[in-house]
C-alpha cells in the first residue's frame, strides 16, 4: 500500500480571535521569529501557518498543540523533536494561502507559489533554470502562461529541496519538468515530486524522499477550520 501524505491548503486571513488562538500556541522561538517580520500581514501569515501546523500535528499524535517542539536543521528544515518519532512535516505560504503537509516516515517537502506581479519569469528562468526549462517558460503564449509555468517549476524545485533538507539557491537548475523522480541533496538522494491541484492561480507541489509512489489527500478550507475534525473541508485523494 502506498505511503500517504496529507496536505491542507487554507487561507492566511483569519479573524482577530482566531489569530490570537494561533499565536497562543506558538513557542518562544516562533514568536520571536514572527516579531522580526516588518509587515503585520506577513507576521499574521507566519502565525497562522505555524499555529495551524501545531493544530494538525497535535491531532495526529494526540497531544496539545502547544506541547509540540521542532528543531531547525543546518539549512532551516524543522524536525519534530517532541514527540520523537512523530510525523514528518512541511509548510509553505505565498500571498494569502498556506500549504501544510503531514507525512509518515519519509521526509516531506511542500511549496506553494503565486505569480508575483512585476517579476519577469523569462529573465528569472534564463538566469536560474536549466536550459530546457527556461525555454519552456519563454515559449508560453502569453504573460499569464509564462508566469504560471515559472511558478509550477519553482514550486516543484522547492518541494524537492525541502524534502532533501538542502538549500534552494544551489539547486535551482535541478530539472523537475519531465520526471516525477528527481535526484537531489547532499548526499544525493532520490525524491518523488508531484503537482497538487490548487484554486486561485496558485501552484503547489509536494515531494517525498524515496522513489515509491504515494497517496495524496488534499483538504481545502478557508478560515475557522481549527474547530473542525481533520478532513472536513472539500477533499481530493489521489495516488501520485
Amino acid at each position: 500500500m502506498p505511503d500517504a501524505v496529507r496536505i491542507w491548503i487554507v487561507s492566511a486571513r483569519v479573524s482577530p480571535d482566531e489569530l490570537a488562538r494561533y499565536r497562543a500556541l506558538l513557542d518562544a522561538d516562533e514568536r520571536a521569529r514572527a516579531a522580526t517580520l516588518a509587515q503585520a500581514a506577513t507576521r499574521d501569515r507566519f502565525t497562522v501557518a505555524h499555529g495551524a501546523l501545531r493544530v494538525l500535528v497535535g491531532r495526529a499524535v494526540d497531544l496539545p498543540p502547544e506541547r509540540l517542539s521542532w528543531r531547525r536543521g543546518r539549512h532551516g528544515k524543522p524536525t519534530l523533536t517532541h514527540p520523537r518519532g512523530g510525523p514528518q512535516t512541511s509548510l509553505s505560504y505565498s500571498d494569502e494561502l498556506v500549504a501544510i503537509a503531514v507525512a509518515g516516515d519519509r521526509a516531506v517537502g511542500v511549496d506553494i507559489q503565486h505569480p508575483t506581479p512585476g517579476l519577469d519569469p523569462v529573465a528569472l528562468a534564463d538566469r536560474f533554470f536549466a536550459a530546457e526549462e527556461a525555454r519552456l517558460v519563454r515559449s508560453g503564449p502569453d504573460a499569464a502562461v509564462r508566469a504560471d509555468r515559472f511558478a509550477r517549476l519553482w514550486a516543484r524545485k522547492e518541494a524537492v529541496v525541502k524534502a532533501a533538507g538542502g538549500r534552494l539557491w544551489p539547486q535551482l537548475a535541478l530539472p523537475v519538468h519531465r520526471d516525477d523522480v528527481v535526484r537531489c541533496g547532499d548526499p544525493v538522494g532520490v525524491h518523488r515530486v508531484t503537482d497538487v491541484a490548487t484554486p486561485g492561480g496558485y501552484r503547489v507541489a509536494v515531494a517525498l524522499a524515496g522513489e515509491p509512489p504515494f497517496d495524496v489527500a488534499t483538504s481545502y478550507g478557508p478560515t475557522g477550520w481549527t474547530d473542525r475534525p481533520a478532513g472536513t473541508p472539500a477533499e481530493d485523494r489521489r495516488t501520485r
Side-chain angles (χ1 to χ4, degrees), residues 105-172:
D105 296 333
R106 294 165 65 180
V108 63
V110 70
D111 192 65
I112 183 168
Q113 294 290 327
H114 191 271
T116 303
L119 289 184
D120 184 346
V122 173
L124 290 171
D126 284 341
R127 180 179 179 185
F128 294 113
F129 290 0
E132 180 183 8
E133 293 182 341
R135 285 194 297 270
L136 175 69
V137 173
R138 194 183 315 116
S139 66
D142 55 46
V145 173
R146 292 190 289 271
D148 178 71
R149 289 180 179 180
F150 179 84
R152 173 181 178 266
L153 292 170
W154 190 286
R156 287 171 69 87
K157 294 171 190 288
E158 191 151 355
V160 171
V161 171
K162 284 182 177 181
R167 295 171 58 233
L168 177 62
W169 290 104
Q171 303 289 339
L172 282 174

Side-chain angles (χ1 to χ4, degrees), residues 53-134:
L53 175 64
R54 286 179 168 275
V55 170
L56 293 169
V57 176
R59 288 177 182 161
V61 300
D62 197 25
L63 279 177
E66 62 273 17
R67 290 183 54 192
L68 304 175
S69 58
W70 281 264
R71 174 181 55 81
R72 285 189 288 167
R74 183 161 58 105
H75 299 301
K77 180 178 174 62
T79 301
L80 189 66
T81 56
H82 180 73
R84 292 189 178 276
Q88 299 283 325
T89 65
S90 182
L91 65 80
S92 178
Y93 28 82
S94 180
D95 199 35
E96 295 183 355
L97 288 186
V98 174
I100 298 170
V102 179
D105 296 333
R106 294 165 65 180
V108 63
V110 70
D111 192 65
I112 183 168
Q113 294 290 327
H114 191 271
T116 303
L119 289 184
D120 184 346
V122 173
L124 290 171
D126 284 341
R127 180 179 179 185
F128 294 113
F129 290 0
E132 180 183 8
E133 293 182 341

Side-chain angles (χ1 to χ4, degrees), residues 4 6-7 28 49 101 104 114 116 141 146 158 179 181 188 190 199 221 234 236 238 240:
R6 184 65 178 273
I7 297 175
H114 191 271
T116 303
R146 292 190 289 271
E158 191 151 355
D179 298 323
V181 177
V188 174
V190 176
D236 175 29
R238 301 182 185 181
R240 315 284 176 155

Side-chain angles (χ1 to χ4, degrees), residues 161-207:
V161 171
K162 284 182 177 181
R167 295 171 58 233
L168 177 62
W169 290 104
Q171 303 289 339
L172 282 174
L174 180 74
V176 295
H177 169 52
R178 292 188 179 278
D179 298 323
D180 285 343
V181 177
V182 179
R183 290 186 169 274
C184 177
D186 182 18
V188 174
V190 176
H191 298 78
R192 180 173 288 273
V193 60
T194 188
D195 301 322
V196 178
T198 311
Y202 289 80
R203 281 291 191 167
V204 173
V206 60

